[in-house]
Amino acid sequence: MPPRFFVDQALAQPGELSLPPAAARHVQVLRLQPGSAITLFDGQGGEWQAEVLAMGRSEVRVHLQTQQPVQRELAHAVTLALAMPANDRMDSLVEKATELGVRAIQPLMSERSVLRLNAERADKKVSHWRGVAIAACEQSGRTQLPEIAPVQTLAAWLAALPAAEAGQRRWLLSPTAAQPLAQLVQVAATRTLVLSGPEGGLSPAEEQAARERGFVAVQLGPRILRADTAPLAVLAWLALQNPA
Ligand code: SAH
């Protein structure tokens, strides 16, 4: 399979094109040569076959050939709202959630979060995670980028969360919930919003606030999963039941 690159501009018709800097850098790093076949996608759906025409010092010119209307997105829209795990666990979570087809990730800081970011660092982290998601889309064949929303506190996010629309269900992952997720009587849904806590768990007040916003508390079995494992387990479970 030819290497795939995301281009941050709309691809509309066949013809010659100078790759935007990030994609050009990737092509340079792989030392591709004129004549090499590559695949490009712009995140709006579908992908394009292309051929490298010329490699300059920083410029890479390509010939955009045909658009292929491939569809590899998860039809069921899953949003993971999660209290960010500390260190590089969040990077790995973004990577794996993207591979599994997540539609959006909402990074949160909650009462017991270990990771505390000021506004400037939070913005830097979000751009970094967008880069991680792009790389995971390139590798996994996705044609749409997941949204990585700006970091918020759980309290502010819950306060601004509109009521669930028809077709959306909300799950609060809580190790002490009585209801096992797999046995939940499931309403027909096309969208699921999953809220998952930090290393130290969500506080009882936070869980209550989430319930007031329409979240149903569910547990994932008797073992405590790490803050990065629990949301991925639910996403994988949903993704495998709704593969396309
Ligand atoms: N120390 C906390 C556990 C935190 S685990 C405690 O003992 O409560 C991090 C988060 O993952 C939790 O807040 C919860 O949202 C989710 N989680 C982990 N294991 C889970 C399980 N068995 N069932 C439901 N949610 C779980």
Side-chain angles (χ1 to χ4, degrees):
M1 210 168 91
R4 291 178 91 247
F5 304 105
F6 169 69
V7 287
D8 198 4
Q9 71 185 52
L11 298 173
Q13 59 208 25
E16 267 191 56
L17 169 82
S18 184
L19 289 182
R25 225 173 12 253
H26 278 115
V27 171
Q28 306 269 16
V29 168
L30 290 182
R31 299 182 185 282
L32 298 182
Q33 296 302 317
S36 301
I38 57 175
T39 303
L40 300 176
F41 66 105
D42 64 3
Q44 320 285 319
E47 64 187 21
W48 292 76
Q49 293 317 313
E51 183 187 322
V52 176
L53 292 178
M55 310 273 294
R57 258 163 57 92
S58 59
E59 199 198 25
V60 173
R61 288 198 68 75
V62 302
H63 182 241
L64 206 56
Q65 296 161 334
T66 46
Q67 186 178 24
Q68 271 137 14
V70 292
Q71 163 37 28
R72 303 191 190 98
E73 295 301 306
L74 205 58
H76 190 99
V78 182
T79 297
L80 295 181
L82 51 109
M84 301 168 288
N87 55 50
D88 58 2
R89 285 177 188 273
M90 184 65 180
D91 286 18
S92 121
L93 188 152
V94 169
E95 178 187 88
K96 283 153 195 17
T98 303
E99 290 167 27
L100 287 165
V102 76
R103 188 70 59 92
I105 296 177
Q106 170 61 65
L108 297 169
M109 282 185 291
S110 67
E111 280 176 32
R112 298 181 188 157
S113 283
V114 176
L115 184 63
R116 304 243 152 228
L117 300 171
N118 62 28
E120 191 191 336
R121 276 196 64 215
D123 287 349
K124 279 206 183 121
K125 281 280 187 193
V126 168
S127 353
H128 170 70
W129 293 325
R130 288 187 181 137
V132 171
I134 287 173
C137 287
E138 291 176 331
Q139 174 274 324
S140 65
R142 281 191 71 172
T143 53
Q144 283 176 27
L145 305 184
E147 180 197 350
I148 315 282
V151 176
Q152 292 195 53
T153 63
L154 173 59
W157 177 75
L158 277 178
L161 190 66
E165 289 165 23
Q168 191 198 48
R169 59 188 179 193
R170 296 179 172 178
W171 294 340
L172 159 66
L173 306 188
S174 174
T176 55
Q179 178 75 61
L181 175 57
Q183 285 164 28
L184 189 68
V185 176
Q186 301 210 7
V187 292
T190 53
R191 288 187 294 152
T192 304
L193 174 55
V194 178
L195 173 59
S196 190
E199 292 86 341
L202 296 168
S203 73
E206 287 173 328
E207 291 206 349
Q208 181 55 30
R211 277 197 213 90
E212 284 165 15
R213 289 282 158 179
F215 284 82
V216 177
V218 292
Q219 46 100 341
L220 308 174
R223 290 164 303 282
I224 298 294
L225 306 176
R226 281 191 185 263
D228 47 334
T229 312
L232 287 177
V234 175
L235 173 61
W237 188 69
L238 285 170
L240 297 178
Q241 293 176 79
N242 306 274

